[in-house]
Every structure is written in structure tokens, then in C-alpha cells.
């Protein structure tokens, strides 16, 4: 009876140790738990973690699989395998993983983020990311296209608040002398601040997109909230050009001028323009 009791206690201790060493669930969808493989050895070494073992295989073109020892005397040992690996066996002290799944677990390039453990997606507009990082919102006064790894300044004479999708020209009677502005400064009253004077089409006779107090006095063009990229043309022609231009968000056509449409880089619509096409 005493010997049976001692054997029983030893058995429980061993079982407790195994439960401590063996994971209860898989690390990721790429891992095959309780699996070892024969043949196809490239190298073996103590890697310290399953992830480090997979990282080593990911950076080696001829490595097609790994076996990682999670328990026992070889715990922490990484075996890199080539395409000659075969004969998988059940081994409660090991786990295996295979390409291409290992490759899909790699960190995402700049401009992307991990939307699942094995896939990447583009960062949205006005956000950015570095290699392996999460998407971060662009600061006010800067802008980015979807899938960007950095934000770009709006430039002088323009602005963007964090609630805006695009940079916009400062309106007549205002200016911005900084290239990362979230709003425009009002022009002094004696330097173009009075925008009451208007042309025959009721447009303010002051500069939009002013980058300094001095610019406030220049009479350059009537205000056009849509940015004119090229001279006016037919709707079909403008739409075709917009489809080929990554900076274009749509086509605006003048309300009174026939066949006077332009590709546009802004979503703000002025009184004299109608949106005829949006990407």
C-alpha cells in the first residue's frame, strides 16, 4: 500500500509539471501543436521562443518549416527544415509550423497594419504607419493618402483640421504662413481683410490660398473652393483624366459655362460648381 501511494504521488507530480510546460492552446493559426518531423534538417540551435524560431525561418528562402521544442530536455530548441521534411509524428514536447503561413505572419510594411494574424490592410486616409506598426492619425495641418508611411504638410496658404479629409486653400480674407496649419489667420482690415468688393459674378476680388499678409492684397483669381488642376473640358474628358490621377477625388463642372469641367483634389464645393462625378 505504501509503495502504491508513493508511485501515485510521483505520477501526480509529473502530470502537474507537464501541465505547466505544455500550452493549452495553439500560439497562432500557423502552429501545429504536439507535432515533430523527421528529415530535412538545415540547422538547430537554442532560440528561446517559438516566434524567434519562425522569424529565422521567414528570413531564409530554403527554410520551409520549423520544429520548436516547448518542453523536455530540449526546451527552447529550434530546428529549421527544408523542403525535404516529412514523416510528422505526435510529440507532446514539440510544435511545428510551415510556410507559406509563417511568411504571412511577418510584420506589415509601412502604410499597412495587421488586420488578422496572417494578413495586412492599408492604413486609412490621413493615417500612417511604419514597418510593423499600427496606424496613427496624421496631425492637423498634414495629410496622407490611404496606405501611407508618413504624413505630408498641407503647405503655406493651406490648412487642414483633424475633422477635414483634405487640405484646403485659405479663403479670401485669410492667409497661412505655416506649412502645417490647422486654420488660417484673418487678414488685417487694411491688407485685404475687407472682402466686400466682388466681381460681376459676385466672387470676392481677393486671393484664395494666401501665404502671407502681403498676399492678402493681391487680386489673383476669384475664389474657387474646388482646386483647378487643368483648364476646363467635357465631363467625359475630365472624368477619364481623374481616373488616371491618384490625387483626384472627383470632377466639378461650372454651373453656367458649357463643357467646363475639371478634375478636383478637394471635396468642398463652391456656389459656381456642381459635383458631376465622385471616385
Amino acid at each position: 500500500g505504501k509503495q502504491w501511494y508513493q508511485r501515485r504521488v510521483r505520477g501526480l507530480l509529473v502530470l502537474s509539471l507537464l501541465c505547466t510546460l505544455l500550452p493549452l492552446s495553439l500560439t497562432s493559426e500557423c502552429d501545429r501543436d504536439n507535432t515533430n518531423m523527421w528529415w530535412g534538417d538545415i540547422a538547430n540551435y537554442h532560440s528561446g521562443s517559438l516566434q524567434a524560431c519562425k522569424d529565422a525561418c521567414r528570413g531564409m528562402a530554403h527554410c520551409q518549416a520549423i520544429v520548436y521544442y516547448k518542453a523536455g530536455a530540449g526546451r527552447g530548441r529550434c530546428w529549421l527544415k527544408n523542403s525535404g521534411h516529412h514523416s510528422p509524428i505526435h510529440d507532446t514536447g514539440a510544435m511545428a509550423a510551415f510556410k507559406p503561413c509563417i511568411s504571412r505572419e511577418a510584420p506589415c510594411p509601412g502604410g499597412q497594419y495587421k488586420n488578422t494574424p496572417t494578413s495586412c490592410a492599408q492604413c486609412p486616409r490621413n493615417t500612417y504607419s511604419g514597418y510593423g506598426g499600427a496606424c496613427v492619425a496624421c496631425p492637423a495641418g498634414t495629410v496622407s493618402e490611404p496606405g501611407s508611411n508618413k504624413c505630408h504638410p498641407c503647405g503655406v496658404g493651406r490648412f487642414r483640421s483633424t475633422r477635414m479629409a483634405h487640405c484646403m486653400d485659405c479663403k479670401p480674407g485669410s492667409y497661412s504662413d505655416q506649412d502645417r496649419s490647422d486654420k488660417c489667420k484673418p487678414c488685417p482690415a487694411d491688407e485685404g481683410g475687407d472682402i466686400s468688393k466682388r466681381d460681376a459674378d459676385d466672387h470676392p476680388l481677393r486671393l484664395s490660398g494666401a501665404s502671407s499678409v502681403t498676399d492678402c492684397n493681391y487680386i489673383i483669381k476669384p475664389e474657387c473652393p474646388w482646386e483647378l488642376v487643368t483648364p476646363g473640358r467635357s465631363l467625359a474628358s475630365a472624368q477619364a483624366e481623374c481616373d488616371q490621377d491618384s490625387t483626384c477625388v472627383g470632377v466639378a463642372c461650372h454651373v453656367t459655362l458649357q463643357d467646363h469641367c475639371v478634375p478636383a483634389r478637394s471635396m468642398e464645393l463652391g456656389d459656381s460648381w456642381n459635383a458631376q462625378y465622385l471616385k
Side-chain angles (χ1 to χ4, degrees), residues 155-158 170 174-181 183-185 209-215:
V156 295
R158 295 168 62 79
C170 290
S174 65
Y175 71 100
S176 171
D177 53 2
Q178 304 293 322
D179 63 356
R180 298 170 186 262
S181 297
K183 60 184 178 181
C184 300
K185 305 171 186 177
S211 60
S212 69
V213 171
T214 304
D215 283 345

Side-chain angles (χ1 to χ4, degrees), residues 194-265:
D194 178 10
I195 60 171
S196 60
K197 295 182 179 180
R198 308 178 80 83
D199 65 11
D201 294 321
D202 200 35
H203 291 127
L205 287 174
R206 295 299 179 195
L207 170 70
S208 61
S211 60
S212 69
V213 171
T214 304
D215 283 345
C216 288
N217 268 326
Y218 291 168
I219 301 175
I220 304 296
K221 61 181 181 182
E223 178 184 11
C224 178
W226 288 87
E227 295 179 55
L228 306 187
V229 181
T230 55
R233 77 286 310 278
S234 69
L235 173 61
S237 176
Q239 181 175 336
E241 182 171 335
C242 183
D243 288 336
Q244 300 299 316
D245 184 353
S246 62
T247 66
C248 178
V249 298
V251 171
C253 295
H254 200 276
V255 295
T256 58
L257 300 178
Q258 185 175 4
D259 287 334
H260 191 84
C261 301
V262 292
R265 292 187 291 139

Side-chain angles (χ1 to χ4, degrees), residues 21-277:
L21 294 177
L22 298 181
L24 298 178
S25 61
L26 300 184
T27 302
S28 82
E29 62 188 81
C30 294
D31 305 334
R32 189 176 298 177
D33 203 11
N34 300 327
T35 301
N36 203 335
M37 289 183 296
W38 298 108
W39 320 117
D41 297 340
I42 298 173
N44 74 91
Y45 62 97
H46 190 278
S47 70
S49 73
L50 171 65
Q51 189 59 51
C53 185
K54 290 194 283 188
D55 288 344
C57 183
R58 190 181 298 118
M60 191 178 297
H62 56 292
C63 180
Q64 296 299 307
I66 62 100
V67 171
Y68 179 76
Y69 284 84
K70 60 184 181 178
R75 185 180 186 187
R77 199 145 200 89
C78 171
W79 289 77
L80 304 178
K81 304 277 185 174
N82 60 30
S83 57
H85 66 80
H86 58 86
S87 302
I89 60 172
H90 182 76
D91 184 344
T92 57
M95 59 198 315
F98 304 84
K99 283 184 176 177
C101 196
I102 290 175
S103 299
R104 293 197 295 266
E105 286 185 320
C108 298
Q112 300 184 18
Y113 69 99
K114 279 288 184 187
N115 60 337
T116 74
T118 55
S119 64
C120 298
Q122 279 192 339
C123 288
R125 181 185 300 277
N126 293 330
T127 67
Y128 72 99
S129 73
Y131 175 78
C135 300
V136 179
C138 289
T142 66
V143 69
S144 75
E145 293 298 318
S148 296
N149 61 3
K150 61 181 178 180
C151 301
H152 300 277
C154 289
V156 295
R158 295 168 62 79
F159 73 103
R160 186 185 80 87
S161 73
T162 54
R163 293 176 295 178
M164 297 167 59
H166 304 274
C167 296
M168 295 295 300
D169 284 350
C170 290
K171 297 299 180 282
S174 65
Y175 71 100
S176 171
D177 53 2
Q178 304 293 322
D179 63 356
R180 298 170 186 262
S181 297
D182 64 343
K183 60 184 178 181
C184 300
K185 305 171 186 177
C187 291
D190 58 347
E191 293 287 353
D194 178 10
I195 60 171
S196 60
K197 295 182 179 180
R198 308 178 80 83
D199 65 11
D201 294 321
D202 200 35
H203 291 127
L205 287 174
R206 295 299 179 195
L207 170 70
S208 61
S211 60
S212 69
V213 171
T214 304
D215 283 345
C216 288
N217 268 326
Y218 291 168
I219 301 175
I220 304 296
K221 61 181 181 182
E223 178 184 11
C224 178
W226 288 87
E227 295 179 55
L228 306 187
V229 181
T230 55
R233 77 286 310 278
S234 69
L235 173 61
S237 176
Q239 181 175 336
E241 182 171 335
C242 183
D243 288 336
Q244 300 299 316
D245 184 353
S246 62
T247 66
C248 178
V249 298
V251 171
C253 295
H254 200 276
V255 295
T256 58
L257 300 178
Q258 185 175 4
D259 287 334
H260 191 84
C261 301
V262 292
R265 292 187 291 139
S266 166
M267 295 295 292
E268 185 175 342
L269 191 62
D271 293 338
S272 298
W273 298 87
N274 285 331
Q276 297 295 325
Y277 168 69

